[in-house]
Amino acid sequence: MGLTKSEIFTDEQNQLSQLLKAMAHPARIAILQRILASNTCICGDLVEELGLAQATISQHLKELKNAGLIQGTIEGVSVCYCINPKTWKMMENQLGAFLGSYKGEIPCC
């Protein structure tokens, strides 16, 4: 499979693609849902709640943080994570506009 020619797409298309790629795993969706439900920073209680190994959770958190979907702060020996509001709002706007561009059913297929 060839390389994606990202330069032929808009910045918005590339950005939304990267965010959705970072979310494209059920564990990451579960992590984001947990953070959203708590509406606060999460500090290490994800292992028990999700039933995954600490290393696995850490890897998923790293991917979400690298994408900018979450942000983290160090408190003692633990790292606490919360939603990155700026990125989340931007993704909400872009994804909402994308999904909202569907005009409804047309008799074609």
Side-chain angles (χ1 to χ4, degrees), residues 43-80:
C43 303
D45 53 352
L46 291 169
V47 173
E48 287 183 25
E49 290 188 32
L50 298 179
L52 298 172
Q54 178 63 54
T56 302
I57 296 286
S58 293
Q59 185 61 37
H60 288 304
L61 288 167
K62 178 182 174 186
E63 291 296 324
L64 292 169
K65 188 173 180 189
N66 287 343
L69 289 165
I70 62 173
Q71 54 194 7
T73 58
I74 299 172
E75 294 187 11
V77 295
S78 65
V79 180
C80 296

Side-chain angles (χ1 to χ4, degrees), residues 13 19 25 51 53-54 68 83 87 95-96 105-106:
Q13 289 167 333
L19 291 171
H25 191 286
Q54 178 63 54
I83 296 295
T87 303
L95 192 55
E105 289 186 44
I106 57 170

Side-chain angles (χ1 to χ4, degrees), residues 34-43 45 71 80-83:
R34 176 62 184 97
I35 294 172
L36 288 166
S38 70
N39 201 29
T40 186
C41 288
I42 301 292
C43 303
D45 53 352
Q71 54 194 7
C80 296
Y81 292 97
C82 62
I83 296 295

